[in-house]
Amino acid sequence: MTAATGVSLFVAVPAAVLGAVCMGLASAAQARATKEVEAGGPLDLTLFRRLVGRPLWLIGIAGTVLGLILQLVALAYGPLLLVQPLLVTSLMFAGFASARLERRRPDRMMTFGALLCVAGLAGLLVVARPSGNGATLVTGAALLPLGLVLAVLTLLGLGFGAFSRSASLRVLGLAVATGVLYGLTAGLMKVVANQFRIGAGEPFRHWTLYLVCVIGPIGFLLSQNTFQQGRFLTPALAVITALDPLVGVAIGLSWMGESANGTPLALFGEALGGLVIVVGIVMLSTRASHLSAEPVAESGEAVEPEHRGPGDGDGYGLAGSGC
């Protein structure tokens, strides 16, 4: 295990933040593009075919690729415990970009919720003081405990996404599965990035690169279906963006030998930071639920609805139930 030096962090932190900017803008563009094509059911495998050729979606793809490259650079120089939480900042960029694309003003409450997420993240990082910079995964039975937890979360998310009759639970399930797969992909990309630093051909000699090539596209497909199922981007993206770094941190601690401040006072501060992030996500979801019930005029301003029928909104600010 190699320590993260000041020089390596000077590369890792800006790369992670710039990657978050690209990811946030890409998510907003892709979410907008998915609303412009015919809606399908959850886990729609034909969605890509309908999206190919749409300029906004292709711009989102370009942003995603650039974001992944920057994330790979950040992971090559910095620990997962530092790089992955910084990706939470993509939530702010996505929210503002989404508001612009939908020709509405950024909502103050949703902006405050996003800022709470970032503030909680900042506090958590300051208290946790992540250290270490693992280059390889543990092997054998040591992979099983966390691996089983991640597998169960993914399967539960897919189950809710595919079979739930509630629109909010479907999107929540898809978002959970997406966040877990994104975090797992990031953990494996950390290994691949370190292999690239050894030699250009080194990653092709290990199974991690090939697994990334499988679960990465699956996570991306799930994210596009998640964006299409919900009316507002921010709540679904908040779940994905929160789970992604949490899974990355778990992988760093359990599989890659990284460490964080574990004193009782530090654990309390870390839990408090996590609670602030959760409050921010709940605020985003609750506010989006209110906005989803408001018809939007051509000017982009919300107008007072004449009535609200059952299923017009849900607890996650997403489209009404499709049952």
Side-chain angles (χ1 to χ4, degrees):
M1 182 176 67
T2 58
T5 65
V7 174
S8 64
L9 295 183
F10 183 76
V11 175
V13 172
V17 174
L18 288 175
V21 173
C22 293
M23 291 293 192
L25 298 181
S27 295
Q30 290 162 3
R32 179 69 175 177
T34 60
K35 303 298 191 303
E36 298 174 351
V37 299
E38 181 183 356
L43 307 179
D44 183 5
L45 299 178
T46 66
L47 181 58
F48 283 160
R49 179 169 52 83
R50 299 197 299 276
L51 288 170
V52 170
R54 292 195 168 266
L56 193 59
W57 190 73
L58 294 177
I59 291 173
I61 291 295
T64 299
V65 171
L66 181 57
L68 285 174
I69 292 173
L70 288 167
Q71 184 183 10
L72 196 62
V73 171
L75 288 171
Y77 287 92
L80 270 168
L81 271 66
L82 174 68
V83 173
Q84 284 307 101
L86 286 173
L87 295 180
V88 172
T89 57
S90 67
L91 190 61
M92 288 195 307
F93 303 116
F96 286 114
S98 179
R100 293 296 299 171
L101 288 172
E102 294 173 5
R103 296 179 181 176
R104 56 181 173 83
R105 295 192 187 97
D107 184 80
R108 292 181 180 178
M109 187 65 71
M110 294 184 77
T111 300
F112 183 65
L115 289 174
L116 273 183
C117 291
V118 176
L121 163 70
L124 190 151
L125 284 176
V126 169
V127 175
R129 290 183 297 174
S131 60
N133 194 10
T136 59
L137 293 174
V138 297
T139 57
L143 290 169
L144 289 180
L146 179 60
L148 289 174
V149 171
L150 297 182
V152 169
L153 283 176
T154 303
L155 291 175
L156 285 175
L158 291 175
F160 278 109
F163 302 113
S164 176
R165 294 179 62 84
S166 165
S168 59
L169 287 179
R170 284 200 303 271
V171 180
L172 178 61
L174 290 173
V176 167
T178 301
V180 172
L181 291 182
Y182 273 7
L184 180 57
T185 301
L188 297 177
M189 281 175 60
K190 167 69 174 171
V191 178
V192 173
N194 282 291
Q195 291 167 353
F196 267 119
R197 295 186 69 183
I198 296 173
E202 186 67 18
F204 299 96
R205 301 188 182 98
H206 302 274
W207 58 267
T208 46
L209 175 63
Y210 303 103
L211 187 56
V212 166
C213 292
V214 173
I215 63 174
I218 293 175
F220 183 70
L221 172 64
L222 289 176
S223 72
Q224 303 307 291
N225 279 272
T226 304
F227 295 154
Q228 188 181 53
Q229 294 295 313
R231 175 178 171 184
F232 283 91
L233 167 69
T234 308
L237 187 60
V239 174
I240 295 171
T241 308
L243 271 178
D244 182 351
L246 286 176
V247 171
V249 166
I251 290 174
L253 292 172
S254 300
W255 288 355
M256 304 192 71
E258 296 180 0
S259 60
N261 191 347
T263 64
L265 186 60
L267 290 174
F268 174 77
E270 291 160 14
L272 186 60
L275 179 61
V276 171
I277 294 174
V278 171
V279 170
I281 291 174
V282 171
M283 185 178 294
L284 289 169
S285 301
T286 304
R287 180 57 179 163
S289 176
H290 173 72
L291 291 175
S292 68
E294 298 178 354
V296 179
E298 292 183 0
S299 63
E301 297 290 337
V303 296
E304 192 68 26
E306 294 180 2
H307 67 279
R308 181 179 179 182
D312 286 346
D314 55 60
Y316 296 96
L318 306 166
S321 175
C323 60

